[in-house]
Amino acid sequence: MENEREQWGSKMGFILAAVGSAVGLGNIWRFPYLVYNNGGGAFLVPYFIAILTAAIPILILEYGMGHKYRASTPLALARGNKKWEWLGWWPTINAFFILAYYSMILSWAIKYLTLSFTKGWGSDPNNYFYNDFLKLSSSPFEFTAIIWPVLIGIAVLWAVNWFICYRGVKGGIEKLNKVLLPLLILIMIVIAVKGVTLSGSTLGLNKLFTPDWSKVKNPSVWIAAYGQVFFSLSVGMGIMMTYSSYLPKKSDINNSAFMTGFANCGFEFLCAIAVFSILGFMATSQGVPIDEVVSGGIGLAFIVFPKVFSIMGVWGNILGVLFFMCLIFAGLTSSVSLVEAVTAPIIDKTGWNRKKVVTWICILGFVVSIAFATNAGLYLLDIIDNFINNYGIVVVGLLEAFVIGWIIKPDTIRNHTNSVSYFKIGKWWDITIKYITPVVLAFMLISSIINEIRNPYEGYSLAALFVYGWAIIGIGIIGSLLISRRPWKNKHIENDESEA
């Protein structure tokens, strides 16, 4: 059975797919705001330390596990230690929920791409987004209407996911990334070049990169840095282990991890330059301090930027189209990786063929996504995303580091990656996986829990946080434990060392 496992057509195909998975919406709307909010240029100190002590070591861990054991995340962990198979199913379940709300955000981006030709969001983008477009209800439990443009967009995106993943790793995912990723980078370069030539752009860039060294002493800034590199590289989500399992036997794992990490890092900087150049222009043209126009997340993409494009004349139409194309491309390369992170474990577990599994995942995913196409969809997105990121993914990463560091043993993976890599990693990697990464992630987790107890997330009711937040975490853990009790298709999980 193992001999039938699909493979990437080339190492570059794998790198593009891994970078495509890592490069997502968070790079565009989360990273620039984090730098601005956490000490500007001074934030880059903890950021680069986080890349070297957490992001790249965990990438090497996940690439090494997938490549050594030639399997998706649950099977790779089961082959490492049978008791820990369930840990591979938790990120698989998380990936499915992320897909459900990711499709909603991309549906918004499709709608805004059509609006950007005519600046159809009108003179008040804030009112248009919440009231005219989303028709936002007053409570997370108030489902009174389906938002049809959102639902249609979601259907289109699930159809695209299905079409790409149905065609397989080499014929679908690799081909998509070879087209979309270079296009995405090219468009972002165009936006950044135009951005820095706008009047007032230096105001934004100075505000972004001027260091506030006092912030470096603040533990919350370090948590933000580690959180960003962790989330933006798609680690702890079951994607990278699965992707690396499709690599040929002789593949430079260590070098691939560094290339993926730094390529993602470079794209984040490009996004920061583009975003803050444009925000500097907006602040200057409106005669207000830049602090009044800065925003992160959904507000930046669907409210602040449309305001900017509205005052830019013809260039506003052009940049609007390019910006929303960027969001769609970045989202698509990430969403197909999430579909694959759900597909591969099910294929490994059941022996069903890819086409059947992909079809069922996309049908079920669309059904679940309908909840996000209602007028309470934004609330669901906000709560579920917060809990999966702060608890689901962090705990998975923490436990992965613990299992490899203390049970499977780091030198098992390090010796394997060194045996196929030109660049060898030393025992520093073992120390990182055993001590540094678990300590940092445990600190992040405890801080999140303390904050949650002191101040319930965004002031939502405890009922909403329980139903959409803690319950999703519970479903992930209970579901993973139940699935792991079912037998594998071939009744055994021994690793075929000849394949590894």
Side-chain angles (χ1 to χ4, degrees), residues 164-195:
I164 300 298
C165 294
Y166 190 86
R167 296 165 66 89
V169 171
K170 184 178 172 182
I173 297 170
E174 186 171 339
K175 281 186 177 175
L176 175 85
N177 281 284
K178 280 183 173 176
V179 174
L180 287 195
L181 197 64
L183 267 177
L184 172 62
I185 294 166
L186 182 64
I187 292 171
M188 190 52 79
I189 288 171
V190 171
I191 295 173
V193 169
K194 177 58 186 173

Side-chain angles (χ1 to χ4, degrees), residues 38 89 91 111 153 161 210 299 388:
N38 289 283
W89 288 107
K111 172 68 173 176
N161 281 334
T210 300
I388 286 181

Side-chain angles (χ1 to χ4, degrees), residues 464-476:
L465 295 176
F466 180 79
V467 171
Y468 302 128
W470 294 115
I472 294 293
I473 299 300
I475 289 168

Side-chain angles (χ1 to χ4, degrees), residues 105-121 128 133 156-157 187 191 301-302 306 309 316-329 332:
I105 301 171
L106 293 186
S107 175
W108 299 348
I110 291 172
K111 172 68 173 176
Y112 270 69
L113 175 63
T114 63
L115 293 173
S116 58
F117 288 96
T118 60
K119 300 176 184 170
W121 43 74
Y128 176 84
F133 177 44
V156 168
L157 284 154
I187 292 171
I191 295 173
F302 298 102
F309 300 144
N317 298 75
I318 296 167
L319 288 182
V321 170
L322 292 177
F323 176 74
F324 289 109
M325 281 175 68
C326 259
L327 288 188
I328 293 165
F329 290 173
L332 270 177

Side-chain angles (χ1 to χ4, degrees), residues 326-383:
C326 259
L327 288 188
I328 293 165
F329 290 173
L332 270 177
T333 56
S334 295
S335 70
V336 295
S337 70
L338 288 162
V339 173
E340 189 59 27
V342 181
T343 299
I346 295 172
I347 293 172
D348 283 346
K349 188 79 170 179
T350 62
W352 297 342
N353 70 51
R354 163 176 288 276
K355 294 179 177 178
K356 176 181 178 180
V357 174
V358 168
T359 301
W360 274 109
I361 287 169
C362 291
I363 291 170
L364 289 172
F366 172 70
V367 171
V368 172
S369 296
I370 292 172
F372 293 94
T374 64
N375 55 346
L378 180 60
Y379 299 125
L380 272 62
L381 153 74
D382 195 20
I383 297 170

Side-chain angles (χ1 to χ4, degrees), residues 25-41 43 204 207-209 215 221 224 228 268-269 271-276 279 290-301 304-305 458:
L25 303 177
N27 300 66
I28 298 170
W29 71 35
R30 191 170 188 264
F31 177 74
Y33 184 71
L34 271 179
V35 177
Y36 162 79
N37 225 20
N38 289 283
F43 177 75
K207 190 71 178 175
L208 174 66
F209 290 120
K215 291 279 185 85
V221 171
Q228 174 62 18
E268 288 193 323
F269 272 94
C271 293
I273 290 166
V275 166
F276 269 81
L279 292 177
I290 193 160
D291 305 65
E292 290 186 21
V293 298
V294 172
S295 171
I298 289 163
L300 174 75
V304 176
F305 264 37
E458 292 291 328

Side-chain angles (χ1 to χ4, degrees), residues 425-485:
I425 52 169
K427 292 201 173 178
W428 63 268
W429 185 80
D430 301 28
I431 294 165
T432 300
I433 295 302
K434 287 182 80 167
Y435 302 107
I436 298 174
T437 301
V439 166
V440 170
L441 293 179
F443 189 64
M444 285 171 60
L445 180 64
I446 292 164
S447 299
S448 294
I449 292 170
I450 291 169
N451 286 338
E452 193 66 48
I453 293 166
R454 284 180 181 165
N455 305 298
Y457 178 65
E458 292 291 328
Y460 286 111
S461 69
L462 292 177
L465 295 176
F466 180 79
V467 171
Y468 302 128
W470 294 115
I472 294 293
I473 299 300
I475 289 168
I477 296 170
I478 294 164
S480 60
L481 289 167
L482 291 174
I483 297 168
S484 66
R485 294 176 65 179

